[in-house]
Each structure stands twice: as structure tokens, then as C-alpha cells.
Amino acid sequence: MHQTYTYQKFPYARPPELNGGAVQRHPLVVIGCGPVGLAAAIDARQHGIPVLLLDDDDTVSVGSRGLCYAKRTLEILDRLGCGDPVVNKGVGWDVGRTFLRDDEVFNFNLRPQPGFKRPGMVNLQQYYLEQYMVQRALDAGVGIRWKNKVVSVQTHDDHVSLQVDTPGGVYAVEADWLIVCDGARSPIRTMLGLDIEGRVFMDRFLIADVLMKADFPAERWFWFDPPFHPNQSVLLHREADDVYRIDFQLGWDADPEEEKQPEKVIPRIKAMLGDDRDFTLEWVSVYTFQCRRMNAFRHGRCLFAGDAAHQVSPFGARGANSGVQDSDNLLWKLKLVLDGRAPAHLLDTYSEERGYAADENILNSTRSTDFITPKGAVSKTFRNAVLELSRELPFARKLVNSGRLSVPSVLSTSSLNTPDCESFAGDMVPGAPMDDAPVSIDSRPGWLIDQVGDRFRALYFCDDAGAIPEGMQLQLQGMGDASIPVEPLVIARKAGTCRLKTVVDGEGMAFARYDATPGTLYLIRPDQHVAARWRETEVSRVVAAVARATGNFIQE
């Protein structure tokens, strides 16, 4: 097989603990140097938290593995400082098409409206993503230790004790808090005797990464019962470096080791592409999948994220995307707890909110998988009827499910939300991830979401920034001096002299997406979810909403 990527080996460095001395206590230790652990570590450093990141390997992911990164994840990567290389190297796409045999029966567009910075999805081999994130982590001051395998974990009321095995010996280290991102098999979860429950799907799929020159559009193509692979399904994605990902459904009885052999893989690809197409195999794997989750993602001082906490099928690109969103939800809360500005029970809302998101992902993933791989005669008859009807009838096309693509969860039931007390239209309800919009900053084009950052923000909408009364400007500015600061951002239809940071919504998209009128104020959390919104600004209500969003509840 040919490889387009040279896997860099990261050097092992002898840990100082092996030289003797007292056991070191770290505010935060993260286990697992995949995308989720790297996101958590980078975010920790951007919040000013010292972090030690341990990994039992010494290279990035082998094989393309995770592939599709959704718009919300790209926005998080932008905030972490590594979005641009991912987007620049990857293949952006918005359109997906589903075929029954040779006929297109359904299509979707992940960005049916214009006015967003990032595409609906970017396809990029996981090793590139990890490479960019490792470099960003090192630049941010993350202490990464390669070939450091955690072999023992003990939990205490105020810390976690670890034993770590390395090529140079075993050492002990302690953490005030431990974030576990060590994957679906999670040795740490096993060491702590924690359960994970769910469903294993009785099917097998072949992944083939194929290097070839082709003019296929940057779209997701999914076939049911194609003539080149009858009675099964096939998925095609374009990746970077002229690599294409092809997934072939094999059935439960397929022998995984046999199916990975080139003499089995190459004929399948030739049947799909034709004998005249030149291609080279880059990576082959056979997988099954499961939809499972832990009952709780927080266990004392141990916090589980990504596949260690929850697993879904790959159809819908919900794995890495949901894991990065886990870390996005967690780190700002952990920062407040470490600083003593929020109670430790705020971290229980990490489990509450991301458990809700995991349930939503598992539900959608299970429905997709049941449609793609029906196990009973009745289910298969229904599936086939839907596909046949979808050729002609629009209502049936909505039932075709080749994998509902990853979208961020709207945390509408979160205990951290302040319920609406006034009428609003649109999608920006409390708990929703904020929508982006094009704006201008000092007469230069930009994006609203880039102006928010990783802090509490008050989005204040007005017609003319220069006409905001001086008293209102002082009130908004004063919120930045609170114990938990809220930094105001004025969104104006017209620029004007103002003491507050201001962006101009020249195209009106921000006003429209937030159903804003002059005087509307949105409180945005550090993870860019809506915490509260009002038609008129009263600082006392903002203070109460911040208290609620940080676990410092105020009884009214």
C-alpha cells in the first residue's frame, strides 16, 4: 500500500519524576492525545490552566479514521487557534446525495443559507488534524508526554493519583482534576470499574482509503443497493491529497481479516470505479460499531469526554465532533471551579448537558444504522418501500436515512438557562449554540462568532452605536468589572462613536438570525451557547442569569 503522509514520531523525554523527589500535583491532567484530549488541553491553556497531557503512543492517528468535521467543530477549532490549517488542507462540502441503485432519491445542503464563515463540513484525515493540534498545543504551552501509559488510577476527595509507565520506568503523579479522553475502550474507565451501556450493531463495514485522480465533486455520496455492490450500501467521501474514502457494507458474516486483504478489496473498488481507473490503496480497515454511553460523565474528580464517555456509529460524523464539543462545554466550567468563582457542582452540568447531547446523537445514530442495516424482514421491507417511493414522492424522501449529519445540540432543557420572559422568534433559544453572521469591524469584513471568544458576552443590538445613551454604555461597560466578567459587544446597523466594542451588521443577518430589535440583549456563555435573552436591558437580570449559568444560583 502507498502512503501520502509521513508519520512523525514524537520524542520520548524522561519525566523528571523518575529522578526522585516528592510526588508532583498538577491542577489538570488529560489522558489521551487524540482530537478530544488535544482540544481539552489547548482550551485549558487558553484559560490559563497549567495542563499535563499523557499519551501511551508516540505518533498521531494511523489511518484516516475520523474524517468529517462539522461547522460547529470548525468554529471551536478557530477559537482554539487551529481552524485555518484544517480548513485550508481539508475538503469543504455542503451537499450530500443518496442513490438507490443508479438513481438519486434524496439530497441535502448543510448550509442552505449564505453568510457563514465555515462550510457545513470539512473532510480531513485525522492524522492531519492531530498534527495541527499537537503543534498548537505545544505553542500554547501544553506539557505533552509521549509513551507515558497510565497503569493505575486512584480517586480521592480532593485529587486523583496516577501511576504512569514509561520506557524509563514507572512514576507517580497527582491531579486536582483528571480529564479522560482515552477512547472507546478506555482503560481508565475499566480501572475505575465504571460501566458503559448500549447496543452493538451486528454488521461489518470495510473502509478503503484510495489514492486516485478523479473529478468527483466535493460531496457526500451514499448508495443503497448499487449495481457494483448489490444488496448492500456504499459511501464515498473525498479527502485531502487526492484520497477518497470508500465504505462498503459487508454483512455480519464477513471475515474481517480476509476482507482487508488487497485481493478482496481491489475487486470491490474496480467494480465501483471501472477497470480503467488507476488507484492505489492507502489504508484499509474493517469495523463494527455500537451506540453506548456512560450513565454519568463526571465521577468525582474524573471527567470523561469523547469516545471514552459515549460512542456512536460513524454514519453522521458524530464521534469526533461531539467529543470536541464535550471539551468546549467542560473547560470554561472547570476554569471557574479552579478559580473558586463557581461551586464544584457546576461540573455536574457538564454531565447533564453533554449526556443530553449524547442521547440525541445515539438516537439519531441508531435510527440511521437501523435504516442502513435493517435486521428484520419487516424493517427491511419498510426501508425498501421508502427507497422505492422516494423516486417519485417527496414525502418519502424525508424518510430516507443514510446518516443524519452532525449538528450541535440545542441544550434547551439545561438547568443553566434563564427561561425567556418575552416573545422571540427564530432558533437562538436559550441553550442554542450561537449563529454566526457577517459583520464589519472598523470597516473591515469579519465574522460575529470570532468577536465573542471564550468568555461571557453581552450582545447588545441597536440601530446606531453612536446613539446609545451614555448611562447605558456605562452600565454595559460596568458588567466587565463583575466577579464573573461579562464583556459587552454592540451589534449596530450603523457605526458611530461608542466606548464599547462594536461591530456593524451591514447585511442585517445578525439582526435576523437573533430576531433582534433595538435594545435586545443576548447573554452568551464562554462556549458560545445562548444563556439568556431580553428585549430590554436590565443589568440586574444579566447578573442573575450569569449566576444561574455558573451554578451560583440566586433565589428570587
Side-chain angles (χ1 to χ4, degrees):
M1 293 188 187
H2 174 81
Q3 287 185 342
T4 60
Y5 177 82
T6 301
Y7 290 92
Q8 176 185 356
K9 289 282 188 180
F10 298 105
Y12 164 77
R14 180 180 172 86
E17 289 86 350
L18 292 176
N19 298 325
V23 175
Q24 297 296 309
R25 174 82 64 90
H26 297 264
L28 176 62
V29 173
V30 178
I31 300 176
C33 208
V36 181
L38 285 162
I42 295 167
D43 210 354
R45 290 301 304 132
Q46 292 192 171
H47 282 292
I49 304 171
V51 58
L52 180 64
L53 177 58
L54 306 177
D55 195 88
D56 61 0
D57 202 357
D58 61 355
T59 187
V60 295
S61 167
V62 175
S64 66
R65 300 183 66 187
L67 177 66
C68 304
Y69 303 103
K71 180 169 71 67
R72 178 62 195 138
T73 299
L74 298 172
E75 292 166 350
I76 295 170
L77 293 175
D78 280 339
R79 184 176 62 77
L80 297 179
C82 45
D84 281 346
V86 171
V87 174
N88 293 341
K89 181 66 176 178
V91 176
W93 62 275
D94 295 314
V95 174
R97 302 186 188 279
T98 300
F99 303 88
L100 175 60
R101 302 183 189 97
D102 289 325
D103 297 330
E104 182 177 332
V105 294
F106 178 74
N107 63 69
F108 59 82
N109 189 332
L110 295 173
R111 285 193 310 173
Q113 298 177 340
F116 294 95
K117 178 182 179 182
R118 294 310 191 191
M121 285 277 178
V122 163
N123 290 351
L124 183 66
Q125 296 91 313
Q126 186 171 322
Y127 45 75
Y128 280 123
L129 173 67
E130 291 184 10
Q131 173 188 318
Y132 301 144
M133 295 185 78
V134 166
Q135 187 58 57
R136 172 67 187 121
L138 293 173
D139 291 344
V142 176
I144 304 180
R145 296 186 181 180
W146 304 101
K147 302 296 286 187
N148 278 239
K149 181 179 181 180
V150 177
V151 294
S152 173
V153 181
Q154 291 185 318
T155 59
H156 309 274
D157 289 342
D158 64 343
H159 72 282
V160 181
S161 300
L162 308 173
Q163 292 285 321
V164 186
D165 188 18
T166 79
V170 177
Y171 67 92
V173 69
E174 294 178 351
D176 290 333
W177 295 93
L178 179 70
I179 299 179
V180 182
C181 310
D182 59 347
R185 294 183 176 87
S186 187
I188 305 303
R189 191 180 64 226
T190 301
M191 291 176 201
L192 294 175
L194 299 173
D195 293 330
I196 186 165
E197 300 175 353
R199 176 181 171 190
V200 178
F201 289 86
M202 307 287 283
D203 211 332
R204 302 189 195 280
F205 288 80
L206 170 75
I207 294 177
D209 276 2
V210 177
L211 177 64
M212 63 181 177
K213 294 291 185 180
D215 56 359
F216 302 142
E219 298 177 346
R220 177 189 193 262
W221 288 356
F222 191 101
W223 288 266
F224 289 100
D225 190 21
F228 52 83
H229 193 56
N231 301 314
Q232 302 282 24
S233 63
V234 177
L235 175 66
L236 175 70
H237 270 295
R238 182 175 160 191
E239 308 178 41
D241 299 332
D242 294 320
V243 175
Y244 287 80
R245 160 75 64 82
I246 308 174
D247 286 25
F248 292 97
Q249 184 182 4
L250 299 176
W252 182 244
D253 295 332
D255 182 292
E257 292 306 314
E258 181 182 342
E259 292 294 343
K260 287 191 291 186
Q261 301 307 310
E263 58 266 25
K264 293 284 286 187
V265 177
I266 290 173
R268 294 190 189 281
I269 297 173
K270 284 190 172 183
M272 178 182 182
L273 302 176
D275 290 333
D276 296 334
R277 175 80 63 179
D278 290 329
F279 65 86
T280 305
L281 289 181
E282 182 172 81
W283 180 65
V284 174
S285 181
V286 172
Y287 66 92
T288 59
F289 48 81
Q290 47 206 354
C291 290
R292 308 190 301 168
R293 61 160 286 194
M294 300 175 70
N295 288 327
F297 301 165
R298 180 193 174 194
H299 291 269
R301 296 251 165 177
C302 298
L303 302 146
F304 289 78
D307 285 350
H310 48 77
Q311 297 133 38
V312 292
S313 77
F315 297 110
R318 298 173 182 276
N321 287 295
S322 62
V324 170
Q325 290 162 33
D326 286 347
S327 70
D328 191 47
N329 184 285
L330 174 57
L331 266 297
W332 69 271
K333 296 174 180 177
L334 183 59
K335 170 63 173 175
L336 289 172
V337 171
L338 282 168
D339 287 351
R341 292 188 291 164
H345 67 70
L346 176 63
L347 296 173
D348 292 332
T349 69
Y350 162 69
S351 186
E352 171 201 340
E353 293 184 335
R354 294 310 300 167
Y356 173 90
D359 288 341
E360 185 176 77
N361 281 327
I362 287 171
L363 176 63
N364 281 302
S365 186
T366 299
R367 286 174 174 171
S368 297
T369 305
D370 283 340
F371 193 88
I372 294 167
T373 63
K375 295 302 180 287
V378 173
S379 297
K380 190 168 185 177
T381 299
F382 170 78
R383 195 278 304 274
N384 292 342
V386 166
L387 291 171
E388 291 291 349
L389 289 170
S390 64
R391 296 173 184 270
E392 305 293 339
L393 300 176
F395 88 89
R397 292 170 194 154
K398 297 179 180 179
L399 301 176
V400 174
N401 192 339
S402 61
R404 303 289 189 228
L405 271 291
S406 174
V407 294
S409 292
V410 177
L411 306 173
S412 56
T413 63
S414 172
S415 61
L416 302 186
N417 296 339
T418 295
D420 283 337
C421 57
E422 295 142 315
S423 176
F424 280 88
D427 297 330
M428 292 295 95
V429 301
M434 65 173 291
D435 260 351
D436 201 4
V439 294
S440 61
I441 307 102
D442 297 328
S443 300
R444 297 189 305 274
W447 297 96
L448 174 60
I449 204 164
D450 288 342
Q451 310 309 310
V452 175
D454 57 2
R455 65 209 73 185
F456 279 96
R457 281 281 193 186
L459 307 184
Y460 179 81
F461 290 83
C462 67
D463 281 331
D464 183 349
I468 302 174
E470 181 70 12
M472 177 58 70
Q473 292 190 45
L474 290 172
Q475 286 186 57
L476 291 169
Q477 188 177 46
M479 292 190 298
D481 298 324
S483 58
I484 299 178
V486 179
E487 298 189 19
L489 176 67
V490 173
I491 303 172
R493 291 190 173 107
K494 178 182 176 183
T497 303
C498 177
R499 68 171 66 240
L500 306 174
K501 182 176 181 178
T502 301
V503 299
V504 176
D505 182 23
E507 299 181 43
M509 287 189 182
F511 267 79
R513 287 173 180 165
Y514 289 79
D515 186 33
T517 54
T520 293
L521 187 139
Y522 276 75
L523 177 65
I524 305 297
R525 303 184 339 182
D527 59 0
Q528 301 173 342
H529 281 249
V530 175
R533 57 184 178 174
W534 304 274
R535 287 296 182 191
E536 296 180 358
T537 301
E538 292 183 18
V539 172
S540 62
R541 294 198 294 186
V542 178
V543 171
V546 171
R548 182 168 186 142
T550 57
N552 296 296
F553 298 104
I554 294 177
Q555 299 294 327
E556 296 182 356

